[in-house]
Amino acid sequence: MSRLPHIVVLGGGPAGCGAAYQLRRTQKATVTLLEKQDVVGGNAASFQWGGQWLDYGSHRLHHTVAPEILADIRQMLGDDFGDFARHGRIRLRGKWLHFPIQTVDLLRRLDKGFALGMARDMVLTKLSRRDEGDSYASVLLANLGPTMSRHFYFPYGRKMWGREPEELSGIQARKRVSAGSFGKLIRRLLKPVGGGNYYYMREGYGQISRAYARHAESLGAEVALRWGATSITRSPTPGYTWTVTAERDGEMRSIDCDHVWSTIPITLLARLMRAPGDSPVMRAATQIHYRAMVLVYVKLPVPQFTTTDAHYFPEENVRVTRLSEPKNYFRSTEPRDSTVLCGEYPCAIGDALWTASDAELAGIMARDAATAGIPFPAAPTDVLVRRLPQAYPIYLRGYEVPLGTLDDWAASQPNVLVYGRQGLFAHDNTHHALYMAYSAVDCLEGMAFNQAKWAGYREVFKTHVVED
C-alpha cells in the first residue's frame, strides 16, 4: 500500500495552520509544521497582557471570507465567535468621519472645500480619462483626482511605507485602496447600514490560528513550536525529496519530506535553500523590501477610552497610523477597571521609532492622541512594546522584476510551494491567506502537486484587495 506524502509546512500563521488542518482533514498528507515562535499566528497572533487578549495591531475577520472557510471557523470556535458592527472613524482635515464611510456622515461632517474639490475631481477624471501610469501617485490621481489623493492617500502612503507616492508602484494603490475609483467609492457609500460588520473572537484574533493548529494536531499533524528551519537540502534518503533541518534552543533535528510548503518570506526561503550569494536569486532578494512596525500598548486606569474600535490617522500631523482599543472588538467589559490602547507606528528597522524606549514611545502616543483631540484621560499605568520586522510589503516601482526572479526560482524547485502573505509578498487579509491554504490542498493529488490548477488559483489571488 502506498504511503501518504509527508509535507513540511514552514510558518505557523493562518496560511500554515490552515494548510496543516486541511491536509489532515482530507487525509491527503502527513504534516510537520515548523513555527519558530512559541505560539502560532505570526503577525495575526494574539497574546495576553493587561488582563486581556491583545492582537498585533488591529485585525478582524471580514464578511467576504469564503463560505467553506467561515463554516470551519464557526465550527471550531463555537460561542467564542461573534458578529459585530464596526465603530471605526477617520481623522481627516481635523474632522472625524465614520469608518467605513457612510453617506450621511460624509455629507454632514466633511468640510465644504474638500467636498467641492471631490465633486470637481469626479467630473474632471471622468472627462479627461487620464492615463493611469505606473506609480501609486499616478494611479490615484487618474482615478480619484488630486483632492482625495493629496489630502488622504498620499500622506497615508508616506506614513505607511516611508516612501514618496511617486516611488511606489501603481500596484500598491490597486492592492491597498479598495475604493480606488469614484465608481467604487459611490458603490461603497450606497451600501446599506451594517455593511461594515465583521467577525471577531473572544480570545483575540489569534484564536483563529490557534484553533486551526489545535484541530490539525487532533487529526495527527505535528505542530512544532519554537522550531526554526535552518536549512533545506536535497534528501539523501531514498523516496524523499527534501531534508529540512531545524533548531530549537541549540537542539537540532532533520526531517525528510516529499514536499516543502513555505509561508515564510521568500527571501528567507532562498537563504535556507542555500542559493549562491552572487546568484540572480540572491541579488533579487536584496531588492525586496518590507516595512517594519512598532506596536505600542498603553494600559489606562479607566474601563473604556471611547466606544470606537479603531481610529485611523492618514494625515501627517501625527505619527501613529491607527489607534485601536481591543476590548471594543468583542464588546468585552473585562477587566472592569482598565483598558489597553494599541498604537501602530510603521517604521524602518534601526530608525528613531524602532530604537525608541518604551517610555519615549508611550510619550509619542500620548502626544499624538492629544493632537488628534482624544487625549488620554489619565496617565498610563503600564506600557508594552512589540516590534514586527516584516509588517507590510513595500511595492517600489519595478519591484515585479526581482519578485518575478524569486517566484520563478521557487517554482523551479521540485515539490516546493510558496504561498501566503509573506511567501507571495502579498497585501492580503487572513481570509485570503486561508483561501490560499485551502487552494493549495486542493491541488495536491496523490504524491504530486497539480501546477496547472495552482496557476489558476494564482490568478484568483491577484484579484485580492486588502480590506481595512
Side-chain angles (χ1 to χ4, degrees):
M1 183 175 178
S2 62
R3 65 176 177 86
L4 292 176
H6 186 66
I7 296 178
V8 171
V9 178
L10 303 180
C17 292
Y21 167 73
Q22 190 71 347
L23 284 167
R24 291 305 305 141
R25 182 172 68 167
T26 58
Q27 299 183 7
K28 285 191 169 186
T30 57
V31 180
T32 298
L33 185 152
L34 300 178
E35 168 52 55
K36 67 178 181 178
Q37 303 299 327
D38 57 4
V39 295
V40 295
N43 287 356
S46 299
F47 59 94
Q48 288 182 293
W49 183 79
Q52 62 179 101
W53 283 96
L54 304 174
D55 302 331
Y56 288 96
S58 175
H59 295 274
R60 67 192 86 227
L61 185 66
H62 297 276
H63 274 205
T64 47
V65 58
E68 177 189 3
I69 297 171
L70 177 61
D72 287 344
I73 296 173
R74 281 187 184 277
Q75 186 274 326
M76 292 179 191
L77 296 183
D79 292 340
D80 285 353
F81 186 81
D83 189 351
F84 305 95
R86 293 188 68 170
H87 292 306
R89 58 182 187 169
I90 298 176
R91 183 79 170 174
L92 183 60
R93 290 168 64 91
K95 297 181 183 294
W96 288 109
L97 301 176
H98 188 277
F99 188 80
I101 294 172
Q102 297 176 351
T103 307
V104 174
D105 184 68
L106 187 68
L107 294 174
R108 186 174 72 247
R109 296 182 184 274
L110 196 60
D111 69 75
K112 297 295 189 294
F114 192 92
L116 289 172
M118 283 191 64
R120 180 195 63 232
D121 294 346
M122 188 181 302
V123 174
L124 293 177
T125 55
K126 188 171 183 178
L127 292 175
S128 65
R129 296 184 180 178
R130 179 176 179 169
D131 178 34
E132 282 194 354
D134 64 354
S135 75
Y136 177 86
S138 62
V139 168
L140 290 175
L141 285 170
N143 288 283
L144 289 173
T147 304
M148 180 67 83
S149 297
R150 290 171 180 156
H151 290 281
F152 186 93
Y153 287 112
F154 288 4
Y156 170 84
R158 293 186 187 99
K159 289 171 66 173
M160 200 72 173
W161 299 297
R163 304 297 180 111
E164 287 299 314
E166 293 78 14
E167 297 179 77
L168 297 170
S169 168
I171 300 171
Q172 192 96 64
R174 299 183 186 104
K175 291 291 187 182
R176 285 296 309 218
V177 183
S178 55
S181 69
F182 279 112
K184 291 179 181 178
L185 182 61
I186 290 170
R187 287 194 293 275
R188 173 176 285 191
L189 291 175
L190 293 177
K191 281 185 178 180
V193 175
N197 281 28
Y198 66 94
Y199 302 115
Y200 199 73
M201 303 80 222
R202 190 182 307 277
E203 295 181 357
Y205 197 70
Q207 194 171 0
I208 295 176
S209 294
R210 296 197 304 274
Y212 270 102
R214 184 177 69 254
H215 281 75
E217 285 185 303
S218 73
L219 295 170
E222 179 191 9
V223 178
L225 300 178
R226 295 177 27 240
W227 283 98
T230 57
S231 70
I232 303 170
T233 57
R234 294 304 294 264
S235 176
T237 304
Y240 290 94
T241 309
W242 299 103
T243 297
V244 179
T245 302
E247 186 266 340
R248 181 178 72 178
D249 301 332
E251 179 185 0
M252 307 296 291
R253 64 181 291 196
S254 294
I255 309 162
D256 288 318
C257 61
D258 301 286
H259 297 259
V260 173
W261 286 13
S262 176
T263 71
I264 64 177
I266 193 170
T267 51
L268 175 57
L269 180 66
R271 291 194 290 272
L272 292 177
M273 297 188 73
R274 302 290 196 265
D278 60 349
S279 66
V281 171
M282 293 311 296
R283 287 197 296 272
T286 65
Q287 299 172 57
I288 296 298
H289 304 281
Y290 292 85
R291 187 69 161 157
M293 176 83 77
V294 171
L295 298 168
V296 185
Y297 304 86
V298 296
K299 183 178 179 181
L300 300 177
V302 294
Q304 188 178 48
F305 178 58
T306 70
T307 59
T308 298
D309 45 48
H311 312 257
Y312 294 81
F313 304 95
E315 297 179 308
E316 293 174 288
N317 64 330
V318 297
R319 299 173 79 173
V320 69
T321 54
R322 182 163 52 189
L323 185 67
S324 56
E325 188 168 2
K327 277 176 72 172
N328 293 345
Y329 280 55
F330 200 78
R331 307 296 188 259
S332 175
T333 58
E334 299 294 336
R336 294 187 177 276
D337 59 351
S338 66
T339 191
V340 172
L341 304 182
C342 173
E344 301 178 30
Y345 288 87
C347 61
I349 295 175
D351 71 9
L353 278 173
W354 183 264
T355 57
S357 68
D358 291 6
E360 289 170 332
L361 290 165
I364 291 171
M365 187 167 157
R367 289 191 294 274
D368 282 347
T371 299
I374 47 173
F376 293 169
T381 58
D382 206 354
V383 58
L384 175 74
V385 174
R386 294 289 177 95
R387 292 172 172 85
L388 304 179
Q390 292 163 322
Y392 297 115
I394 303 175
Y395 288 180
L396 295 174
R397 292 174 71 177
Y399 83 98
E400 310 96 303
V401 175
L403 183 60
T405 298
L406 286 165
D407 197 37
D408 291 344
W409 163 80
S412 73
Q413 306 302 308
N415 292 355
V416 170
L417 176 68
V418 173
Y419 72 108
R421 176 176 182 151
Q422 301 285 15
L424 294 182
F425 198 61
H427 286 279
D428 66 6
N429 300 111
T430 289
H431 65 281
H432 296 138
L434 288 169
Y435 179 78
M436 291 182 192
Y438 281 53
S439 300
V441 175
D442 184 49
C443 293
L444 186 66
E445 300 173 353
M447 296 294 289
F449 189 82
N450 189 326
Q451 293 290 348
K453 184 185 285 189
W454 180 246
Y457 278 122
R458 286 286 300 265
E459 291 302 309
V460 177
F461 302 160
K462 291 178 183 179
T463 67
H464 292 167
V465 177
V466 170
E467 297 182 55
D468 289 316

